[in-house]
Amino acid sequence: MKPFPARWAAVACGLVAAQAFAEVRILENFTLIDGTGRPPVPAAALLVRDGKIDYAGPKAQMRAPAGAERLDLTGKYVMPGIIDLHVHLGNVKGLVQDPKFFTRENLAEQLRTYASYGVTAVVSMGTDADLIYQVRAEQRAGRPSFTRIFTAGRGFTNRNGYPSSVPGMKGVPLEVESAEDVRRAVALLADRRVDVVKVWVDDHLGKEPKIPLELCRAIIEEAHKHKLKVAAHIFYLDDAKKLVEAGVDALAHSVRDRDADQELMSMMKKRGTWLIPTLTREVSTFVYARPHPFLDDPFFSRSVDPQVIATLKSPEYQKKLQADPNLGRYEEFLRTAQRNLRALSAAGVRVGFGTDTGPPARFSGYFDHWEMELMAEAGMKPMEIIRSATGRAAEYLGAKDLGTLEKGKWADLVVLAANPLDNIRNTRTIESVWIAGNRVR
C-alpha cells in the first residue's frame, strides 16, 4: 500500500488551512445589478472563493488569483438570488393540501423548483412541521445546493380561526385562547430559533372568528422579549392600523378592503413597519375561473405536472370557482392591494418581497416572476422591485451575508440573458442560478 500523502494526513488532522485547497471561481464580462439599489456596473466581475464573494465590481479593478476557474458571461446580466419572504412549504402535492405531505422528499422537490426560478431563499410562513428545523440546520452547517430555508414554524390563530378551516390545515396553526397559551407557544418557538413569528388576523370575509387584538398584542410582546420579529396576515385597514400601533414588524399582505389612508402610511413609516404585498395571492383567487394564457407558458409548464394543468383548464374546475359568491370581488381586492402598494412605497414605507406561494394553485417560482410584474403594474420601478426581492428582503431578515452581491456575502445569484432594468419581465430570461457558489441550474 502506498503511504498516505503527508498533506492529506495534515488535512485530516486539521493542520492545513482550508484556503490552501480553496475553490476559486471568477465570473466576468457581465453587467452587475448588486441588489443595493446602486446603478448597474458594466464590464463587471465576481471573484468567488468557497462560495463567498471576495470581489464584486469593475473587472478592470479586480486582482485575479492565478489558477482560478473563469466563466465568461459577455452580454449577460447578474443579479442576486430572489428572497421570497412569504411562502408555505411541504404540505401540498398537485392541488391537494395535507400535512402528511410534509416530508423531506417533498421539501427538497419544492426547494429545487424555487431554485430553478432563481429564488435562492424563502421564508416559510407558519405552516411547518418540526422536520423544517432539521433541514434548516443541515443547510446552515455547510453550503446548500438548493433554496435556503427560513421559517416561522407554526403560526398563530384563535380557536377555529382562519386558516384552520382551510382543507388540510386543521391542527397546523397554533390555536390560542389566552395570554398564557401565547407565552408558552412563543417560548417554544424561540427555543427552536424561528426566524420570524406569524399571526393570522382575518375573518376570511366573515366566515371565521378573528383572533382578538389583545392576543395579537400578547404575541407581539412575547416575541419581542425573545428578539423575534412578528409578521401579521391582514386583510382589513382597521386591523392593519391596530397591529402597527401594537408594534407588529411587518404586514404580510397588502390591505385589501379599502385604500390605505395617510394615518396608516405615517404610522408604518414612523415605526419602520414593513409591507410584504403578495399580489399573486390575490391573482390566484380568480384567475382560474376562466382560461388564462399563462397555463400554456413554457416558463410555467416546465415545473408543473401536466395533469395539474389539465385540471386547471377543465370546465369542471372553472365552474366550481365560478360558483363562489365572492368571485366578483376578488379582482378588485387585487387592484386595491396594488394601489396600496403604490401609495405606501411612494410614502417611504419599506417594501419586502413575497408571494404566499405553496398552497394549491399558487405555484412556486413562476409566481415570483409574476409578482414582480404586478409590482411594476402598481408603479414600482424595476430597480426598486429587484431591491425589495434581494437587499431589502435580507435586511428584513437580518441576514447580513445574503441579499446583495458584495464582498463577504454568499454568492447566491442569477444570470440573465436580458436586462431586467429595461423590463422586469426579463427576470424570466434565466441562464443559470447559483447558491453559495454552487450552480443549481
Side-chain angles (χ1 to χ4, degrees):
M1 177 182 290
K2 293 183 179 180
F4 195 65
R7 68 186 183 100
W8 293 116
V11 169
C13 295
L15 301 176
V16 175
Q19 59 264 31
F21 309 105
E23 171 193 289
V24 183
R25 179 177 290 114
I26 294 170
L27 285 64
E28 56 191 346
N29 304 321
F30 57 86
T31 298
L32 173 65
I33 302 166
D34 67 9
T36 66
R38 291 191 291 257
V41 179
L46 285 173
L47 173 60
V48 180
R49 188 185 303 271
D50 292 331
K52 287 203 165 182
I53 298 170
D54 260 7
Y55 174 84
K59 178 183 176 182
Q61 298 176 23
M62 179 183 65
R63 298 181 63 180
E69 177 188 349
R70 305 186 81 123
L71 181 61
D72 183 4
L73 298 177
T74 298
K76 310 304 180 188
Y77 298 81
V78 174
M79 61 173 275
I82 297 164
I83 300 173
D84 191 329
L85 297 174
H86 193 152
V87 311
H88 295 275
L89 293 173
N91 291 307
V92 170
K93 284 191 174 182
L95 294 170
V96 179
Q97 183 166 248
D98 193 303
K100 71 182 181 182
F101 296 143
F102 204 99
T103 64
R104 181 176 289 270
E105 294 73 23
N106 202 29
L107 275 178
E109 180 180 353
Q110 292 177 5
L111 294 170
R112 282 193 291 267
T113 296
Y114 277 113
S116 75
Y117 283 96
V119 181
T120 57
V122 295
V123 184
S124 194
M125 283 293 282
T127 52
D128 292 330
D130 286 351
L131 174 63
I132 200 78
Y133 302 114
Q134 182 180 344
V135 176
R136 184 187 62 172
E138 292 166 3
Q139 284 191 336
R140 294 182 180 180
R143 287 172 56 187
S145 57
F146 46 79
T147 295
R148 299 175 187 272
I149 292 171
F150 293 80
T151 181
R154 295 172 67 194
F156 288 91
T157 188
N158 55 313
R159 180 70 62 186
N160 298 318
Y162 179 76
S164 294
S165 60
V166 173
M169 282 292 101
K170 185 61 181 175
V172 174
L174 293 161
E175 298 183 26
V176 292
E177 296 183 283
S178 68
E180 181 58 24
D181 288 346
V182 168
R183 187 194 65 77
R184 287 196 299 265
V186 172
L188 179 60
L189 292 173
D191 285 344
R192 292 174 174 174
R193 301 180 183 275
V194 295
D195 301 289
V196 65
V197 171
K198 166 76 173 288
V199 57
W200 281 272
V201 186
D202 196 351
D203 62 9
H204 205 203
L205 296 179
K207 296 174 186 175
E208 285 95 21
K210 188 191 305 180
I211 189 169
L213 181 62
E214 58 267 27
L215 288 183
C216 296
R217 287 198 182 102
I219 291 164
I220 293 166
E221 290 171 6
E222 288 296 325
H224 286 177
K225 287 178 185 177
H226 292 280
K227 302 188 184 307
L228 294 170
K229 294 183 177 71
V230 180
H233 167 118
I234 55 92
F235 181 86
Y236 302 103
L237 175 61
D238 287 346
D239 288 332
K241 289 181 181 180
K242 291 172 184 176
L243 289 161
V244 172
E245 182 67 31
V248 78
D249 299 282
L251 301 181
H253 301 281
S254 286
V255 170
R256 289 159 280 167
D257 68 321
R258 52 197 169 111
D259 288 353
D261 58 17
Q262 187 59 51
E263 182 183 19
L264 178 65
M265 296 179 206
S266 299
M267 290 170 64
M268 291 182 72
K269 186 173 181 181
K270 179 181 178 180
R271 294 172 177 270
T273 314
W274 289 76
L275 173 66
I276 304 168
T278 67
L279 302 173
T280 43
R281 188 268 178 201
E282 305 317 307
V283 167
S284 73
T285 62
F286 64 84
V287 73
Y288 304 110
R290 53 187 181 271
H292 194 284
F294 92 87
L295 295 172
D296 294 314
D297 181 354
F299 190 63
F300 168 74
S301 61
R302 69 175 174 83
S303 65
V304 181
D305 186 331
Q307 184 57 52
V308 168
I309 297 174
T311 298
L312 295 175
K313 288 182 175 182
S314 69
E316 294 79 13
Y317 191 87
Q318 292 167 12
K319 287 178 182 177
K320 178 181 177 181
L321 298 180
Q322 290 164 6
D324 184 341
N326 289 306
L327 178 63
R329 306 172 67 187
Y330 295 150
E331 190 163 359
E332 182 52 35
F333 293 157
L334 169 63
R335 301 310 167 202
T336 303
Q338 287 180 300
R339 288 195 301 273
N340 288 335
L341 169 59
R342 177 167 56 250
L344 290 166
S345 176
V349 171
R350 292 181 293 181
V351 177
F353 179 84
T355 58
D356 203 4
T357 43
R362 301 186 210 160
F363 292 97
S364 309
Y366 181 85
F367 270 33
D368 289 80
H369 296 269
W370 200 351
E371 184 79 25
M372 291 185 180
E373 187 176 352
L374 293 168
M375 293 170 80
E377 284 181 10
M380 292 184 70
K381 296 178 180 178
M383 182 66 87
E384 295 172 330
I385 297 167
I386 290 170
R387 189 182 180 201
S388 78
T390 59
R392 284 287 203 189
E395 178 188 348
Y396 167 77
L397 287 173
K400 296 181 179 179
D401 55 357
L402 299 177
T404 60
L405 300 178
E406 299 177 282
K407 182 178 174 61
K409 304 290 185 79
W410 284 109
D412 292 7
L413 58 94
V414 186
V415 179
L416 304 173
N419 188 355
L421 300 179
D422 290 341
N423 185 333
I424 199 63
R425 283 182 61 90
N426 287 338
T427 60
R428 302 175 182 221
T429 63
I430 297 170
E431 299 225 336
S432 63
V433 180
W434 305 72
I435 298 178
N438 295 311
R439 182 168 180 171
V440 299
R441 180 186 186 275

